[in-house]
Amino acid sequence: MFNILIVDDEEKITQVIKAYLDKEGYNCKVANTGIDAINYFRENEFDLIILDRMLPDISGEEICEIIRKESMVHIIMLTAKTEDEDVIDGFNIGCDDYVCKPFNVKELVLRAKAVFRKLDVENKDILKFSDELEINTLSHQVKVRGEKVYLTNTEYKILLTLAKNPKKIFDRERLLELTVEEYYEKMDRIIDAHIKNLRQKIELDTKKPKIIQTLYGVGYKFGL
């Protein structure tokens, strides 16, 4: 289920938008002030933000700039301003789409669906294991418990190899063969050093690892 944040100071507008999107099966949260919008954004994970440009406390532009410093979530801006320069300014600060007021709610729903179709395609390139681990196989970005971690190329290959084969046990030599270029058979213990460094970046407790588990005398396996 996709999560949507609807931000507009006019409660009637937010309730109408919410009703239509709820009917489509989306999970919607409403904010009627800029402060609430920022707080909800930081406390939750949204797939789409529908953001009014004119808010009484913080402008939509300012909110968009704040969000863009922390996230690339898709933003559809609602605006009564229709001048080309206003629209261009909106795109420059980071919004992804514009809907001009007054608008047809059905059109807004169709635009939301288009966003989610794109996300569905992108998600095929993402391996996700509950809230513990997320691997984007296109960008090679890795998130652990929601936070980005930076891995070396070898660490990334080891993690990806294990994650793609969660039921398989790999001995050191096989992991070296799959993940380290120009490896040497007599140096199979080098994989232990890579895994030690990897665990320091992804495990809560390196003495009791959950993500990469050791089977003593055999090798390693994925634990999630």
Side-chain angles (χ1 to χ4, degrees), residues 56-73:
D57 54 343
I58 305 174
S59 73
E61 289 99 331
E62 289 178 270
I63 294 171
C64 191
E65 288 177 331
I66 290 169
I67 290 171
R68 276 294 169 259
K69 290 177 182 177
E70 303 176 33
S71 171
M72 291 305 294
V73 61

Side-chain angles (χ1 to χ4, degrees), residues 58-115:
I58 305 174
S59 73
E61 289 99 331
E62 289 178 270
I63 294 171
C64 191
E65 288 177 331
I66 290 169
I67 290 171
R68 276 294 169 259
K69 290 177 182 177
E70 303 176 33
S71 171
M72 291 305 294
V73 61
H74 198 97
I75 299 173
I76 297 177
M77 190 84 81
L78 304 179
T79 181
K81 296 182 177 181
T82 57
E83 296 296 326
D84 287 347
E85 287 186 6
D86 293 322
V87 174
I88 291 169
D89 286 344
F91 284 120
N92 284 337
I93 61 173
C95 80
D96 299 283
D97 199 359
Y98 251 98
V99 174
C100 296
K101 291 183 174 181
F103 57 87
N104 187 318
V105 181
K106 291 181 179 179
E107 178 190 345
L108 183 59
V109 171
L110 289 174
R111 294 195 187 210
K113 285 183 175 181
V115 171

Side-chain angles (χ1 to χ4, degrees), residues 2 4 24 29-30 57 61 64 75 86 97 123 129 146 154 159 190 220:
F2 291 108
I4 304 173
E24 296 295 328
K29 195 170 186 67
V30 170
D57 54 343
E61 289 99 331
C64 191
I75 299 173
D86 293 322
D97 199 359
N123 285 342
F129 304 90
T154 299
L159 181 61
I190 198 172
Y220 297 98

Side-chain angles (χ1 to χ4, degrees), residues 109-201:
V109 171
L110 289 174
R111 294 195 187 210
K113 285 183 175 181
V115 171
F116 298 138
R117 281 197 299 272
K118 181 181 178 183
L119 286 176
D120 276 333
V121 171
E122 291 175 350
N123 285 342
K124 291 179 181 178
D125 300 307
I126 295 176
L127 299 176
K128 191 166 185 178
F129 304 90
S130 65
D131 294 325
E132 282 284 314
L133 177 68
E134 182 180 302
I135 304 172
N136 188 316
T137 60
L138 281 183
S139 67
H140 289 197
Q141 183 184 89
V142 175
K143 290 184 180 179
V144 179
R145 293 173 290 278
E147 298 292 328
K148 290 181 185 177
V149 294
Y150 298 93
L151 307 180
T152 66
N153 189 45
T154 299
E155 290 166 356
Y156 173 79
K157 286 181 179 179
I158 291 169
L159 181 61
L160 183 63
T161 299
L162 293 171
K164 281 187 170 182
N165 302 275
K167 296 181 180 180
K168 188 171 181 178
I169 301 169
F170 291 86
D171 61 28
R172 293 181 179 88
E173 185 175 345
R174 184 59 177 154
L175 268 181
L176 273 172
E177 182 183 340
L178 292 171
T179 62
V180 180
E181 294 181 10
E182 299 180 1
Y183 79 99
Y184 299 96
E185 289 186 16
K186 292 181 180 179
M187 295 181 63
D188 64 350
R189 288 283 175 177
I190 198 172
I191 204 74
D192 296 342
H194 286 301
I195 287 181
K196 180 182 178 182
N197 293 335
L198 178 55
R199 281 174 169 164
Q200 288 175 344
K201 297 178 181 181

Side-chain angles (χ1 to χ4, degrees), residues 4-57:
I4 304 173
L5 175 60
I6 305 165
V7 187
D8 197 304
D9 62 317
E10 296 184 54
E11 291 189 24
K12 288 184 179 178
I13 290 178
T14 57
Q15 292 307 316
V16 170
I17 295 173
K18 185 178 186 301
Y20 272 83
L21 292 171
D22 282 346
K23 189 177 179 181
E24 296 295 328
Y26 303 127
N27 182 31
C28 299
K29 195 170 186 67
V30 170
N32 296 120
T33 67
I35 291 293
D36 283 346
I38 293 168
N39 288 336
Y40 291 159
F41 160 72
R42 287 176 171 160
E43 293 168 1
N44 302 272
E45 188 168 330
F46 294 102
D47 303 291
L48 170 64
I49 297 177
I50 298 171
L51 176 63
D52 184 25
R53 186 166 184 165
M54 304 294 288
L55 294 168
D57 54 343

